[in-house]
Amino acid sequence: MDKLSRGTALNGNVRVFCCNTTELVQDAATRHDLYPTAAAALGRCLSVACIMGSMLKDSKEKLEIVIDGNGPIGQVVADGYYDGTVRGYVDNPHVQFEKENHKLDVGKAVGTDGVLRVVKDLSMKRPFISEVPLQSGEIGDDFAYYFAESEQTNSAVSVGVLVDTDCSIKSAGALVIQMMPSAVETDIQIVEDIVSHLKPISQIIDEMKDPTEIVKAIFSDYEELETRELQFKCECSRARFAYVLAKLPVKDLQEMIDEDHGCEVACKFCGKKYKYSEETLQGYINAQKAAEETGGNEA
Ligand code: ZN
């Protein structure tokens, strides 16, 4: 089971988040038939969504991350929840770019001519929306910039996905180190020194697996506050799509009956497909007509 560890270090002057997301990124890759570069892009974004989900206050809150760099992959979308679940998709799952050193070129797939947007639903009247221009499209740099600009928190963000030769996900995860307001110059220097000597996080996760152990190896005084299990999970349901379908214009419903003898809806987030029969659609038409007549009588 994928796991996240959250805690503090350097006498409470930094807070640290580390997650191993190998299984959930594999789950996303299978569901969406992601090519390796697309898997790396979505996997990085889902890993940060896990960490940002753990920053939420309670189960009523949730967040959505949209990375739109106008590159061939289109939008990269990830939702994060308080309970450690995430879901997400990319517009085009079949993109594949490699750099000269054969590393996956996420920046090229995502593009840099665009924005990173975070929509936080904090169960208040309006969602909190924050947008920053993309830095490199490599996602780690982009989130570091987001945390500094939008949340006024200097952060080191290391995020990575290692794809095996058979295209399966070998390891995935993220490490975020944030400076607390109490941090002094020495703490900043220590963190900069650590980060500059750190191996890629996907390699560390491949070797050590457990996020708690990873952070302990980095900070000897790591004080863990919490661990949570992580999972790819989508809240979609047959009833939820039915609710939307039932409200479509009669003309559109009739077209689905005449041309396709029913309809199939696929959830963008998880790829699950729901089928609705001709009879079901006819039922929606009848219900709309009946409601119209009732409404007419009342008026
Ligand atoms: Zn779904």
Side-chain angles (χ1 to χ4, degrees):
M1 186 62 145
D2 290 337
K3 189 183 130 182
L4 176 143
S5 170
R6 179 174 73 84
T8 63
L10 301 182
N11 296 314
N13 290 342
V14 299
R15 56 176 194 165
V16 191
F17 303 83
C18 184
C19 60
N20 179 340
T21 55
T22 309
E23 286 178 34
L24 72 88
V25 174
Q26 178 62 66
D27 193 357
T30 308
R31 285 169 187 271
H32 296 302
D33 189 29
L34 301 173
Y35 284 7
T37 308
L42 182 58
R44 288 181 192 186
C45 201
L46 286 170
S47 301
V48 179
C50 288
I51 287 177
M52 290 182 74
S54 80
M55 295 174 182
L56 297 171
K57 298 278 179 293
D58 62 54
S59 60
K60 290 193 209 87
E61 301 186 352
K62 61 185 178 196
L63 65 96
E64 178 160 87
I65 297 164
V66 179
I67 295 178
D68 191 353
N70 285 300
I73 204 168
Q75 288 195 335
V76 183
V77 181
D79 285 357
Y81 300 87
Y82 179 76
D83 66 356
T85 61
V86 288
R87 62 177 195 170
Y89 66 90
V90 298
D91 282 339
N92 181 7
H94 295 164
V95 287
Q96 178 61 13
F97 294 109
E98 284 179 19
K99 296 176 183 168
E100 277 172 18
N101 58 6
H102 298 297
K103 285 210 177 350
L104 299 170
D105 198 342
V106 172
K108 191 171 180 185
V110 170
T112 50
D113 179 24
V115 295
L116 160 62
R117 184 166 58 247
V118 176
V119 181
K120 282 186 194 167
D121 184 350
L122 306 176
S123 67
M124 289 187 275
K125 262 188 189 164
R126 285 199 196 93
F128 167 84
I129 304 171
S130 184
E131 201 174 89
V132 294
L134 285 179
Q135 300 304 297
S136 67
E138 292 280 341
I139 297 169
D141 307 337
D142 302 303
F143 276 104
Y145 187 75
Y146 166 81
F147 285 125
E149 288 295 306
S150 293
E151 306 195 352
Q152 285 77 48
T153 312
N154 281 327
S155 313
V157 180
S158 178
V159 57
V161 175
L162 205 58
V163 182
D164 220 336
T165 43
D166 65 354
C167 291
S168 68
I169 306 300
K170 197 154 189 268
S171 68
L175 171 72
V176 173
I177 305 169
Q178 296 193 318
M179 308 310 297
M180 302 288 272
S182 60
V184 291
E185 191 55 37
T186 332
D187 298 316
I188 297 171
Q189 279 170 8
I190 292 172
V191 170
E192 279 176 359
D193 190 50
I194 287 170
V195 172
S196 65
H197 292 98
L198 215 57
K199 285 188 259 183
I201 188 67
S202 53
Q203 192 187 332
I204 299 175
I205 286 168
D206 186 33
E207 289 163 9
M208 296 181 66
K209 316 281 189 248
D210 185 54
T212 307
E213 295 308 314
I214 291 170
V215 187
K216 276 185 178 167
I218 298 171
F219 294 101
S220 54
D221 75 335
Y222 180 55
E223 233 176 280
E224 187 170 71
L225 297 172
E226 184 211 13
T227 63
R228 61 177 71 190
E229 292 187 340
L230 305 170
Q231 198 187 349
F232 187 107
K233 191 177 159 195
C234 186
E235 289 288 290
C236 71
S237 67
R238 186 172 185 79
R240 214 173 270 197
F241 282 112
Y243 182 79
V244 178
L245 268 180
K247 294 190 164 188
L248 287 180
V250 168
K251 180 174 79 62
D252 295 354
L253 289 166
Q254 192 60 53
E255 217 173 86
M256 290 176 194
I257 292 174
D258 295 341
E259 288 173 15
D260 307 317
H261 304 286
C263 84
E264 187 178 79
V265 189
C267 175
K268 255 182 153 179
F269 280 93
C270 68
K272 198 167 173 185
K273 292 189 173 105
Y274 298 94
K275 277 195 176 122
Y276 298 86
S277 69
E278 209 165 325
E279 291 74 25
T280 307
L281 298 180
Q282 188 59 51
Y284 297 151
I285 293 177
N286 295 345
Q288 281 196 28
K289 284 184 174 161
E292 239 168 62
E293 278 165 25
T294 319
N297 289 342
E298 275 168 7

